[in-house]
Amino acid sequence: MRIFRFEKNGEIKWGWMNENLIGEIDGDPFLDFRRKEAIYTLDEVKILPPVSPSKIICVGRNYAAHAAEHNADVPEIPLLFLKPPSALIGHLDEIILPPQSDQVEYEAELAVVMGKQSRWLSPEDVEDAIFGYTIANDVTARDLQRSDGQWTRGKGFDTFCPLGPWIDTTLFPSDSLITCRLNDEVRQMSSTRDMIFPVNHLIAFISSVMTLNVGDVILTGTPAGVGVLSAGDKIDIEIEGIGILSNQVVSSTRIIG
Ligand code: MG
């Protein structure tokens, strides 16, 4: 099932998709809920980020070809960093290029949404703790990531975490194609099969460090082919079986003058 959040007439609701129609959900999709009839079309609602996580945990260099394009070694254990929840935007929202950076880049990634509070999971127990999967863009100010030496600023600007459009709760993406198109031209294409650390190992590892809460989001790393975003660009990330996350890029001068 595809679950997401949307706004209609100023109210924020949980929703589900049936074909191309949207229905409301009564209750909490992480606990107990009931689906109502799907009656709205996508253009009748505003799609929001599909979840409000307590934290967004990200994994660096989880595809060998991407590590190689930055002349970086493949890590021996997962390389973790955080993005603040304030960076979240939804499908069709705008990525704002901050004035501090001259090199903002896209990174297409599979995202995991947790369904159970978890600590010290074994890899075998991870699947049972996952609520579902969605699509993320780990937008990165590459110049600031390099010059700062640690990644909080380069990864943490507002709008630097597009997520959605929805959470797929039935897919198990062990070999799903990730395709990233910049202005309709393919820039990244790889399979989740090419991850160095697969999803169950990543989440077991993260849960040995911190408690994962219901709704927390894990970005699983990007394949090769990252590149620069410019104002006016359209960036589409497709993951086979989930859908397409699409965002426009704008300059901050439009926002802060
Ligand atoms: Mg990344």
Side-chain angles (χ1 to χ4, degrees):
M1 183 171 50
R2 288 173 169 175
I3 287 183
F4 63 106
R5 293 188 315 144
F6 67 94
E7 186 180 326
K8 184 163 173 60
N9 302 327
E11 275 187 85
I12 295 175
K13 299 171 186 290
W14 284 104
W16 69 289
M17 292 281 296
N18 187 14
E19 305 286 328
N20 287 321
L21 289 177
I22 294 166
E24 291 179 27
I25 283 176
D26 263 350
D28 180 344
F30 291 98
L31 297 169
D32 195 25
F33 67 94
R34 194 175 65 84
R35 283 184 273 186
K36 294 162 89 169
E37 187 187 355
I39 49 172
Y40 306 127
T41 58
L42 269 172
D43 51 14
E44 284 179 280
V45 306
K46 172 172 170 41
I47 293 189
L48 303 174
V51 67
S52 291
S54 74
K55 55 191 169 295
I56 303 163
I57 307 109
C58 308
V59 180
R61 299 177 201 149
N62 198 27
Y63 290 78
H66 171 62
E69 72 184 345
H70 287 153
N71 295 316
D73 292 332
V74 170
E76 288 177 12
I77 56 171
L79 174 62
L80 304 183
F81 63 96
L82 294 166
K83 280 172 106 78
S86 48
L88 280 173
I89 57 172
H91 176 61
L92 303 180
D93 286 342
E94 292 175 334
I95 298 165
I96 300 167
L97 301 175
Q100 298 95 324
S101 174
D102 294 318
Q103 191 186 359
V104 174
E105 299 193 351
Y106 56 83
E107 293 189 0
E109 307 199 7
L110 174 73
V112 182
V113 180
M114 296 303 294
K116 289 183 182 162
Q117 194 181 72
S118 304
R119 179 86 166 117
W120 290 110
L121 288 171
S122 68
E124 298 73 40
D125 292 334
V126 165
E127 197 177 338
D128 192 45
I130 290 175
F131 179 71
Y133 295 86
T134 184
I135 304 166
N137 190 342
D138 175 18
V139 180
T140 302
R142 195 72 66 200
D143 48 355
L144 305 184
Q145 181 191 23
R146 288 205 182 98
S147 63
D148 285 0
Q150 57 84 30
W151 302 1
T152 304
R153 186 166 67 131
K155 298 279 192 177
F157 284 96
D158 284 3
T159 77
F160 271 25
C161 193
L163 191 76
W166 40 68
I167 304 164
D168 192 297
T169 60
T170 44
L171 179 82
F172 183 69
S174 56
D175 186 12
S176 298
L177 202 61
I178 300 179
T179 308
C180 178
R181 294 182 188 85
L182 181 65
N183 302 320
D184 299 319
E185 187 179 299
V186 173
R187 294 299 187 91
Q188 294 182 280
M189 189 182 253
S190 189
S191 167
T192 54
R193 188 189 61 218
D194 298 329
M195 288 183 191
I196 294 166
F197 302 104
V199 165
N200 59 336
H201 281 87
L202 283 180
I203 292 176
F205 180 80
I206 295 166
S207 79
S208 75
V209 179
M210 62 187 88
T211 301
L212 290 166
N213 293 316
V214 173
D216 277 357
V217 172
I218 294 122
L219 272 53
T220 58
T222 197
V226 300
V228 173
L229 292 170
S230 305
D233 283 346
K234 178 169 79 91
I235 185 84
D236 297 320
I237 302 173
E238 179 167 10
I239 298 184
E240 193 181 5
I242 301 180
I244 299 175
L245 170 67
S246 183
N247 298 93
Q248 293 281 141
V249 181
V250 300
S251 163
S252 64
T253 53
R254 219 192 71 194
I255 313 291
I256 62 174

